[in-house]
Amino acid sequence: MASKFLIFSLLVSFQVLTSTLANETGFVGTLNRKELGLHKKDKVSHFKFFFHERFTGSNATSVTVVPSLPNYTATSFGLVGITDNALTVGQEPNSKVVGRIEGLYAGTSQTEFNLLVVVNFLLTEGKYNGSTIAVLGRNRLSLKVRELPVIGGSGVFKFATGYAETKTLYLDADRSTIEYNIYVSHY
Ligand SMILES: *[C@@H]1O[C@H](CO)[C@@H](O)[C@H](O)[C@H]1NC(C)=O
Ligand SMILES: *[C@@H]1O[C@H](CO)[C@@H](O)[C@H](O)[C@H]1NC(C)=O
Ligand SMILES: *[C@@H]1O[C@H](CO)[C@@H](O)[C@H](O)[C@H]1NC(C)=O
Ligand SMILES: *[C@@H]1O[C@H](CO)[C@@H](O)[C@H](O)[C@H]1NC(C)=O
């Protein structure tokens, strides 16, 4: 009994000590997980979105801001583009809008057509309104399904982790239809 108490008090004082040590700097301290709601079990959600890009015209939604290097037109190495599209629940462009995808893409491979994708999914529906999911990954367009990591989020998605799967459903010189399935664990 006494030894149990000793171990308990050692543990407690060790914890007090580590948090005191951490805070000696004045700018960093340890935090109780409860204060951030992190004591609850995380849940895993599956989001399914579609978006429709327009590459041409005065209302284009995905535009090249830096063209690929002259010797790399086959792989688009050096290309930088910006994208901002409405996210819809259905494949039809006029289906309900539930958010936006905003971000950058860049040609980062000298040997294959591959885009580095850095995008935020901004949700605008219900309890998700204003929350974002950040995705950063390698989008190798020759693959039917590409997997990109979810690297974090804001709002509902603070401390989020997971991955996204993306498919090109339609593509021509003027427009595309893209599907995203995002599997994300969050609190
Ligand atoms: C460090 O400790 C002081 C005093 O308890 C507290 O006011 C301050 O917010 C702490 N700083 C951090 C970053 O936790
Ligand atoms: C803008 O986009 C729509 C499709 O949503 C298209 O029908 C229209 O022609 C476009 N307008 C211009 C000026 O590009
Ligand atoms: C690009 O291609 C041209 C013609 O084939 C060649 O002369 C030039 O050295 C190449 N530049 C680079 C950076 O590879
Ligand atoms: C989402 O929040 C904004 C304010 O940040 C509000 O204007 C808008 O109506 C909200 N949308 C929905 C669908 O609740």
Side-chain angles (χ1 to χ4, degrees), residues 96-97 123-130:
K96 187 182 163 109
V97 172
L123 277 67
T124 52
E125 270 303 297
K127 69 168 180 173
Y128 301 106
N129 191 6

Side-chain angles (χ1 to χ4, degrees), residues 80-150:
V80 180
I82 306 265
T83 192
D84 176 12
N85 300 279
L87 294 170
T88 58
V89 290
Q91 202 171 317
E92 311 72 35
N94 58 0
S95 67
K96 187 182 163 109
V97 172
V98 291
R100 302 200 71 81
I101 173 175
E102 302 171 346
L104 298 170
Y105 51 92
T108 50
S109 172
Q110 299 190 357
T111 54
E112 60 189 356
F113 186 29
N114 161 61
L115 296 175
L116 164 71
V117 170
V118 186
V119 286
N120 284 310
F121 289 84
L122 167 66
L123 277 67
T124 52
E125 270 303 297
K127 69 168 180 173
Y128 301 106
N129 191 6
S131 295
T132 62
I133 301 171
V135 168
L136 187 157
R138 189 173 195 268
N139 196 356
R140 186 178 162 199
L141 284 102
S142 59
L143 297 177
K144 192 173 184 304
V145 181
R146 289 86 67 178
E147 188 182 300
L148 291 81
V150 166

Side-chain angles (χ1 to χ4, degrees), residues 31-180:
L31 205 58
N32 186 329
R33 295 177 74 87
K34 245 184 187 159
E35 283 186 49
L36 293 179
L38 298 178
H39 59 299
K40 291 182 242 154
K41 176 124 182 61
D42 61 335
K43 42 187 167 292
V44 182
S45 304
H46 171 200
F47 293 91
K48 184 174 189 156
F49 304 120
F50 297 87
F51 65 89
H52 306 83
E53 294 171 290
R54 290 188 302 274
F55 303 121
T56 53
S58 56
N59 58 3
T61 61
S62 286
V63 292
T64 297
V65 290
V66 180
S68 53
L69 296 171
N71 288 23
Y72 294 102
T73 47
T75 63
S76 286
F77 181 63
L79 172 135
V80 180
I82 306 265
T83 192
D84 176 12
N85 300 279
L87 294 170
T88 58
V89 290
Q91 202 171 317
E92 311 72 35
N94 58 0
S95 67
K96 187 182 163 109
V97 172
V98 291
R100 302 200 71 81
I101 173 175
E102 302 171 346
L104 298 170
Y105 51 92
T108 50
S109 172
Q110 299 190 357
T111 54
E112 60 189 356
F113 186 29
N114 161 61
L115 296 175
L116 164 71
V117 170
V118 186
V119 286
N120 284 310
F121 289 84
L122 167 66
L123 277 67
T124 52
E125 270 303 297
K127 69 168 180 173
Y128 301 106
N129 191 6
S131 295
T132 62
I133 301 171
V135 168
L136 187 157
R138 189 173 195 268
N139 196 356
R140 186 178 162 199
L141 284 102
S142 59
L143 297 177
K144 192 173 184 304
V145 181
R146 289 86 67 178
E147 188 182 300
L148 291 81
V150 166
I151 59 162
S154 70
V156 170
F157 303 108
K158 283 195 270 288
F159 290 95
T161 55
Y163 69 99
E165 283 181 350
T166 180
K167 280 184 234 174
T168 303
L169 303 182
Y170 181 83
L171 178 68
D172 68 21
D174 294 321
R175 62 186 191 89
S176 78
T177 301
I178 311 288
E179 177 179 339
Y180 260 89

Side-chain angles (χ1 to χ4, degrees), residues 19-20 22-31:
S19 61
T20 312
N23 197 345
E24 263 173 15
T25 59
F27 65 89
V28 54
T30 48
L31 205 58

